[in-house]
Amino acid sequence: MIISLNTEALQKDFEHLLQKSIFVLNKISKQGEITAREYSGRQLEPIVKDVMEEQAKNTKFENSIELISGQKFPDIIANNYYGVEVKSSLKDHWKTTGNSVLESTRVEDV
């Protein structure tokens, strides 16, 4: 699990951090530095964390991204309110049978 300890960030700031992080993750994937299909969601979490930490520099999230072990939902938390779940797919589709998240695993207040 990845968590941000910053309690003052606004939604637009978090969305901007996500956009920048997704751009970088797509770029390094296309360059072959990582091949997302070779990783499970859990294996991708530290990669996403590292990218988010880098993209968080000079923002309200700087020095606030933390990786937390365990099966909690969501994997990434910001401002103890916003969250992102890290997933991966071995195929070119994102179909799910559901039940991948239990309410009992939800991080409180998210």
Side-chain angles (χ1 to χ4, degrees), residues 48-103:
V48 173
K49 175 205 175 267
D50 291 345
V51 169
M52 288 184 71
E53 280 183 329
E54 183 65 28
Q55 298 309 304
K57 289 182 179 176
N58 300 314
T59 74
K60 294 178 182 181
F61 294 99
E62 186 169 16
N63 298 319
S64 71
I65 308 297
E66 181 183 351
L67 182 63
I68 299 175
S69 299
Q71 294 187 346
K72 294 284 188 177
F73 172 80
D75 298 318
I76 301 170
I77 299 172
N79 198 23
N80 202 30
Y81 186 77
Y82 304 106
V84 172
E85 182 74 7
V86 176
K87 298 286 185 188
S88 64
S89 176
L90 298 176
K91 300 178 182 176
D92 285 330
H93 64 79
W94 288 100
K95 294 180 182 178
T96 179
T97 58
N99 297 327
S100 66
V101 176
L102 297 172
E103 181 66 20

Side-chain angles (χ1 to χ4, degrees), residues 2-12 14-15 61 73-74 76-84 106-110:
I2 303 167
I3 185 169
S4 172
L5 302 176
N6 188 312
T7 60
E8 297 180 12
L10 303 173
Q11 180 175 347
K12 65 180 180 178
F14 183 64
E15 290 173 355
F61 294 99
F73 172 80
I76 301 170
I77 299 172
N79 198 23
N80 202 30
Y81 186 77
Y82 304 106
V84 172
R106 183 179 61 85
V107 175
E108 192 172 334
D109 298 326
V110 175

Side-chain angles (χ1 to χ4, degrees), residues 23-35 47 51:
F23 176 82
V24 171
L25 287 164
N26 283 330
K27 182 178 175 182
I28 62 177
S29 179
K30 288 177 184 175
Q31 292 173 342
E33 294 177 41
I34 64 166
T35 304
I47 295 169
V51 169

